[in-house]
Amino acid sequence: MVRGEKLLEKFAGEKREIINKKGTFIVKAGPGSGKTLAVAVKLSLELKEWQYSTRGIAAISFTNVAWQEIEEKLRSEFEVANGLAYPHYIGTIDSFINRFILLPFGHLVMECSSRPEIIMNYEPNAMGNAECFKSQCRLKDISYDVYGNLICHNDRSHFKNCSQDHRYCSKVKENLHKKGYITQTDGNYFALRILEEYPSVSKSIAYRFPMVIVDEAQDTSEIQMRILELLLDNGVERLTLIGDPNQAIFEWRTANPDVFLEKTSKWDTLPLKENWRSSQRICRFTDRLLDGTCKSVAMNEDVRDFGFEPQLWGYDKDQPLNYEIGKLIDRFLSVCLDSEIGLSKDNIAILVRGKNIINEIISGNSQKDYSPWRERYIINKKTFRDKYKIHYANVAKSKYLFDTGEFYDAFKLFERTIAAIILGEEYINLNRIKECYVNIGLSEWRKQIFRVFINLPETNIDLGDWVTLANRVLSEFDKSLNLKGFQMKIKRSSKENDYKKLRFEDIFGSKKGDDRYTLGTVHSVKGRTFEAVLLILKEKSAKGKYSSMIDINLAKEEEMRVVYVAITRPRRILVIATPYTDLKMWENKFQVQKQKSIFDF
């Protein structure tokens, strides 16, 4: 008997009902409820009985971490050696939409002549128009709602008050789409249009996947949910949505937990409240963010009665942050050792809300800016966006990749960048590189590109010196390649940031943390479990001060849901660190007595 079958024998109550249920339904799963294991069990049983050779199960999740965990469970616990191989599918909802809807059929609604190409990081603002530039309107933040109306996902943008009626960004997006370029959020919208305008596509996908399971369904967007509805209307026989609206923390990626909640009021909904992750003390503590709407019950006998009471620590926000954080971490690691928890990346997590604190912990300098490329320039007191910013970065990165042994990726990136410079565009389809060598042939083109590339200076020197030497090389080959006078540009140095002195490792290298713990944002560890977690909060979150949102219901405030996700990660030890100025507020929220700060021990 394999381990999975032994686990199955123990399944009762909530999980057993989920595993046995057929048709279309929702699982509303709390943190640590074992939903990943339940999904794996359900899939393993379905695979044993599956009778189709060309039709399969689609297991979809919102993140790579989530679907990979499901497949790992299938392999390790249930001996499904090939995972969900053909005819089945497992992956993210975006990859599912891209593979089966957008990429093969996108040209039908985008009016482009070839297969669409997804641009993941389209940075420039809308058209260089003054209002677009000053108001932080960036094209990558602008997309469409379910009705085709132009919308913006950046709260800081001036988009809603635009006096230009969005004609600049609308025109740019239209031109990009006709060339075949598309962002992922746009891609979901066009996938919806495909299914609406071509019902035969919906029917073929529904026939291909008669059973669909969607994990982390609280993070789906309105458009993604509508796509699932159309597939259901056109033949999907069984659809299961699994999620927890209290853990919806991807609204900045168009997620909308309301569409999941709406379904819970219309479809059969099964609860999954048992907590198999955390101690009862942690369960009781985290429930206080839910205003008593859910009472988690600790089920894991190994940690259920662990004696550590979650704590709130204070730190001085007016002192150097790297010093204060260092004190926090040292004290926290001591607490872990006292509780006989080994120091490792698997056991311990230091979580933060933003990457700026991570840079502080790693580098000890929160003021350092590791993005040195010129973004704008001024002519006659008018500010213009530098359209070559992406090329500055890619020329330098390609040489760094070459010097670190990534020869193929290095030359591929450099070739595409030089072609874009020659064609005078920021992004180009790979097919357009042919325009650069149509008269000289591919072999001669690559010889010329390689000559430029190999003559660029090595990246073991300061950035300022490298740019000076690189520009000499680019000038030498300017006429032969028609580079149109392209020269590398970096920002002006300041007291806080001397860009000329940056090293390439600072810009492109992987910044290593401490092997004694995992250091990351809350979003990066969603779905993971640790023995101990220290959550470090500032006075402000991405959307304002915590004091203005701490009493708002979780359903209506994403920033508080981020906190909830963080504090539901640990099994045994939980500590939240906040500025002294906020400590009393958090103590009241979690109904804890005043505790000593970490510096009072």
Side-chain angles (χ1 to χ4, degrees), residues 552-570:
I552 300 177
N553 188 285
L554 245 61
K556 301 190 179 298
E557 182 47 67
E558 184 184 23
E559 288 300 325
M560 294 305 296
R561 295 197 297 269
V562 172
V563 174
Y564 181 71
V565 168
I567 64 179
T568 55
R569 298 307 94 202

Side-chain angles (χ1 to χ4, degrees), residues 310-349:
Q311 295 183 6
L312 289 164
W313 293 349
Y315 67 89
D316 191 345
K317 65 181 178 65
D318 295 323
Q319 294 296 318
L321 191 56
N322 62 322
Y323 172 79
E324 295 288 293
I325 289 177
K327 288 278 192 177
L328 288 169
I329 293 176
D330 288 345
R331 176 58 190 169
F332 181 68
L333 297 181
S334 295
V335 169
C336 293
L337 289 173
D338 290 344
S339 298
E340 299 183 348
I341 295 176
L343 305 186
S344 72
K345 288 181 176 293
D346 290 333
N347 285 345
I348 298 171

Side-chain angles (χ1 to χ4, degrees), residues 81-93:
N82 296 324
L84 279 184
Y86 180 87
H88 311 290
Y89 173 85
I90 187 167
T92 65
I93 189 166

